[in-house]
Every structure is written in structure tokens, then in C-alpha cells.
Amino acid sequence: MAGYTTTNPTTGRTDTEFTSLTDSDVQDVLSRSHAAFPGWRATSADARAAILARVADVYEARAQELAGLIATEMGKPLQQGLEEARLAGSIYRWYATHGPELLRDEQLDPQGAKESLVQTEPIGPLVGVMPWNYPYYQVARFVAPNLMAGNTIILKHAGICAASSETMARILHQAGVPTDAYLNVFASHDQLAEMIADPRVRGVSLTGSERAGAAVAENAGANVKKSVLELGGSDPLLVLDDADIERVGRIAATARLSNAGQACNSPKRMFVPRDLRDAFVATVVDVFRKARLGDPHDEEVDVGPLSSVGARDGVVEQVERAVEQGATLHIGGQALDREGAFMQPAVLTGVTPEMEAYHEEIFGPVAVIHAVDTLEQAVEMANDVTFGLSGSVWGTDLQRAQEVGDRLDVGMVYINEHGTTLPGLPFGGVKRSGYGRELGRWGMGEFVNVRLRRTAVK
């Protein structure tokens, strides 16, 4: 493990190094989280909600500062960072508003008893393993509902997000979350595995790669505890023959460039009727060509660097391999001749099932556009991958678009929009995109004890 550092992807230089957890500290972390649980659990739901509301206030008030921090850490352009910080704040606010109601006891039909009551109770310390691409939003998705429920949290963020993870911990503690009810740890993979296996930990949530998810799921399963996994996607975008090609092409291209293409639910594979494909490609290429690349601290910049030089090189290699295997490159695909982790956004066509780019997730600013002869072919190709996070369908006949959307094997389908995420909407996928749901009432239901209390008639 490389350790926890802030290596600015704009310059390629390491600005700060952080002290990692020692092996001898692991048991102390577990003991502290376990000891904090009874007190946090006993705190009233209204009191916990008030704390989350204060957290939301801070995210809103300090959004500019928070955006600047991750622009340095992982290269997110300022405006996108502002939007992420505000979205994270809105998640804390949603659970502050709706959490107490979601935790209330539910009276069932007594069914022959004096009372049949369902109670929603926290289960104990949880481990969260978070990725670097949305440092605030991903944490809020996991932390807000579980702190609201009364669980305690041990949070392991990505190695490049040490500074933002420390800031998030300070915000939570200053808002009133007890110090040991939320512990930010700079842990190694081996230390993480030890924590997950420990009987004091009752569940784990991971957003990350398939390999990391499989390792965490194996460990959690071996120790008979709950896990929630969000493992990325290769999301399809289906354009119907009655769509406004110019408009949809610009929206799709802009969405693909957001966060330099480093989003699990980015529209990575675009399916267009064959007679409309050239016009669609021309529009996407135009947007990609005009996109302003540069320092993410510059408010005029549309696309910043990728998260690291290594990540950039991996995406460039994927594009090169696709071209070697017969795909057509319309623009970009190469690393920029400057310091940092920049690459020219790329558009590929002619990608076939024999090529690796057909099946794999390309986690960078690359659009793969497929020409299709029939709607049946579009749906079949859209589903012909191992991922199933989200997808979208675009057309003016809404009923027809909805019917097509219902055929996509994904956890989230959008009609005439792509990748929308809001605090009250469920987020999650199927197949190798993982399992479980975050956000809304569904996120509150993953790590709780839904307990029946039944009282018989005397």
C-alpha cells in the first residue's frame, strides 16, 4: 500500500503525507467504536437528527472551501465540487428531516395477539470503505442514514482523500457526533480485513472496484455479517429514433465528461439508430473538442485531470488497445504533453464484442458509441455486460421510452435524463455492480435490526 498522501493530479507532485494507522492501533479503534455504541444508540432520534441538520448547515456554508480541497486531492473542477458538497449536505438534511419518522415503531395487524409491533434498531459498529471519485457524496450516502439509525462508524477513505476525510470527521464531531461514534482511520488493506472480521463490527459497506468488493464480501460472508457493495458500472444510454439528436448528443457528451468520466453511473456506452449515428457522433465530438481542460481550481475549466497519472495511463492504454483491435478513434485518447494526469477526451465507434472495450468499464473521459439497426439490438447490447448499475432511454414518446427502460437489467433507469441522484431516491445496482441500496428509506434499512415484538393475549 502506497500510504495516505495528497498528490495533486494537476501537478503530479505530492503535497502532504499522512500518518497511517499502526497494527497495534487497530484493536483500540475497534474497542472505541464498540464502547461508543451504547451511548450513541441511547441518544434520541430527534437529537441525532438535530446533529445531522447542523452537519448539513456546515456543508452548505463551507461548500466553496470543500470544493477547493478535492480539486487539489483528486482533480474535480470547482463547480462540480461545489455541487457535490451541496449534494452531500442535502443528504444529511434529508435524514435529519425524515430519519425520526423512518425509525418509529410500526403497529401490525395483531393476528391473534394483543400486539404485534415492528421496531427498527441499530446493530452496532459499521465499517465504511469509500472511493476517491466523489469524496463527500459517497461518504454521506453511507454515514448519514447509519448515524441517524444509531450505529457507530469506522470510516476508511481512499488513500488520496486523506485531507477531505479528516475535514469530514471534524465537521461531524463539531456538529455533535461523539468522537468515537465516528472514527476516520488511515488503514491498510490488511488492517481493514482485520476490522471486518472482528465480531464487534456488525456490517460493512464498500463502494469501489469489483476486486475490492469481492474481497470484502468474502471476508464479511466468512464472518456472517451484512455487506452492501456498489462496484461501478458500464451504463448504457439508448437514443430512440424520435429523439432530438443534437440536444441528446450534447447532454450525453457533457455527462460523460463530468468528473473527467470518473463516475460509476456515467453514460459510458451510447446506442444510436444507424442512420442517426453520424450526426450523434459529430455532436459528441464537437462537445469533446470544445471542452476546456486545465487546472480544476480555474472556474472556467470543464475537465480537470484524472485522479492520478497511473489512472490516466490506464485509460489511455484502454483506448489504444481498442484501436489496435479495430475500433475507430474520432478524437483524443492521448495523454497531454504537460505535467499532471491530463488526457484528451476520446470518442470511439466500431467497438465489437471481440474487443475488450466492449465489456470493460472505462473509468475516464471516453465515449463509446454504437450504431444499432433495431431497438431489439440496442436493448440486447445494453444488457450484454456483467454490470447493471443504471441506464437511460431518450425519446419524445414517453410511454415507448418507459417500456424500453423497463427492459434494461439495471438498478436505476432514467427516461430523458441520466444518473440523477437525490437524497430520497434509492441508489444501487444488480449483477456485478453490487447489491444493496443506499439513500432514501432504502438506505436506512440496510444496517438495522427490524425486530418483531409480539405480546400474546393473557
Side-chain angles (χ1 to χ4, degrees):
M1 180 172 175
Y4 287 76
T5 64
T6 297
T7 299
N8 189 332
T10 302
T11 64
R13 294 189 292 271
T14 297
D15 296 338
T16 312
E17 296 183 0
F18 297 80
T19 301
S20 296
L21 197 70
T22 66
D23 290 343
S24 60
D25 289 335
V26 172
Q27 290 301 315
D28 180 60
V29 165
L30 292 165
S31 295
R32 289 167 60 192
S33 185
H34 180 68
F37 174 58
W40 183 240
R41 175 182 188 168
T43 303
S44 72
D46 287 342
R48 295 196 297 261
I51 290 172
L52 293 191
R54 290 195 290 272
V55 173
D57 291 341
V58 175
Y59 271 84
E60 292 171 6
R62 295 174 59 183
Q64 189 76 39
E65 171 198 344
L66 295 171
L69 186 56
I70 59 174
T72 299
E73 275 188 336
M74 50 71 64
K76 192 186 298 288
L78 276 180
Q79 184 57 42
Q80 296 173 33
L82 278 168
E83 293 168 0
E84 181 185 340
R86 289 167 180 158
L87 174 60
S90 74
I91 293 170
Y92 287 104
R93 179 131 5 245
W94 193 93
Y95 282 103
T97 303
H98 299 282
E101 180 183 355
L102 292 172
L103 293 172
R104 289 198 184 110
D105 294 345
E106 179 184 358
Q107 291 280 356
L108 303 180
D109 177 353
Q111 298 174 66
K114 179 179 177 61
E115 180 187 62
S116 291
L117 183 76
V118 171
Q119 302 166 312
T120 302
E121 296 287 334
I123 58 174
L126 307 175
V127 169
V129 188
M130 298 294 115
W132 48 263
N133 57 334
Y134 287 90
Y136 305 123
Y137 162 65
Q138 310 263 22
V139 169
R141 279 190 342 205
F142 167 64
V143 168
N146 286 302
L147 283 180
M148 183 64 240
N151 295 313
T152 57
I153 305 291
I154 300 170
L155 199 288
K156 179 213 172 297
H157 216 315
I160 67 173
C161 292
S164 60
S165 67
E166 284 190 333
T167 299
M168 283 183 274
R170 285 194 294 270
I171 289 172
L172 288 163
H173 295 153
Q174 290 167 5
V177 176
T179 300
D180 290 349
Y182 182 91
L183 294 169
N184 179 62
V185 296
F186 298 151
S188 69
H189 296 306
D190 289 344
Q191 291 167 344
L192 174 65
E194 181 181 349
M195 291 181 197
I196 294 170
D198 191 281
R200 288 167 290 190
V201 168
R202 299 293 301 276
V204 56
S205 179
L206 175 141
T207 299
S209 69
E210 284 184 83
R211 184 173 65 177
V216 163
E218 181 179 10
N219 191 355
N223 291 281
V224 196
K225 58 189 64 175
K226 180 72 176 288
S227 61
V228 168
L229 304 179
E230 196 271 274
L231 306 180
S234 188
D235 286 12
L237 180 149
L238 281 66
V239 183
L240 303 186
D241 54 13
D242 62 348
D244 181 337
I245 289 296
E246 172 78 14
R247 175 178 173 272
V248 176
R250 294 197 174 279
I251 293 172
T254 301
R256 189 67 187 108
L257 292 180
S258 180
N259 205 33
Q262 300 166 125
C264 300
N265 59 343
S266 179
K268 300 184 177 80
R269 299 176 299 130
M270 305 175 188
F271 300 91
V272 187
R274 189 170 299 279
D275 60 344
L276 301 175
R277 197 226 33 195
D278 288 349
F280 188 85
V281 169
T283 299
V284 175
V285 167
D286 184 59
V287 173
F288 277 29
R289 179 180 291 115
K290 292 177 179 176
R292 292 160 295 187
L293 277 65
D295 188 335
H297 289 278
D298 182 345
E299 293 184 357
E300 300 300 314
V301 161
D302 300 311
V303 183
L306 276 74
S307 63
S308 67
V309 171
R312 187 272 314 276
D313 291 347
V315 174
V316 169
E317 288 174 9
Q318 285 178 295
V319 173
E320 291 174 345
R321 191 161 57 247
V323 173
E324 290 169 0
Q325 293 173 350
T328 299
L329 178 63
H330 293 263
I331 186 175
Q334 67 276 1
L336 297 189
D337 186 17
R338 57 171 291 178
E339 64 180 5
F342 294 89
M343 73 169 284
Q344 186 67 41
V347 175
L348 290 169
T349 61
V351 174
T352 65
E354 295 74 31
M355 302 176 190
E356 292 170 41
Y358 182 91
H359 304 280
E360 62 192 5
E361 179 180 20
I362 301 180
F363 213 60
V366 181
V368 177
I369 302 174
H370 297 275
V372 293
D373 295 309
T374 65
L375 188 53
E376 288 293 328
Q377 182 187 15
V379 172
E380 182 179 348
M381 292 176 68
N383 290 333
D384 190 28
V385 292
T386 59
F387 295 105
L389 187 56
S390 73
S392 62
V393 182
W394 299 75
T396 54
D397 184 337
L398 295 185
Q399 181 176 346
R400 180 180 179 224
Q402 289 171 339
E403 290 171 354
V404 174
D406 288 344
R407 297 170 63 189
L408 297 182
D409 193 7
V410 295
M412 302 169 284
V413 65
Y414 303 94
I415 310 301
N416 292 332
E417 64 178 16
H418 191 100
T420 300
T421 181
L422 293 169
L425 302 178
F427 188 102
V430 295
K431 300 195 286 188
R432 297 189 73 84
S433 286
Y435 49 77
R437 291 296 180 267
E438 296 177 297
L439 297 177
R441 62 180 174 84
W442 302 270
M444 181 72 86
E446 292 288 357
F447 294 105
V448 291
N449 176 15
V450 180
R451 184 172 61 196
L452 170 67
R453 191 188 73 191
R454 183 170 163 90
T455 304
V457 178
K458 287 185 178 179

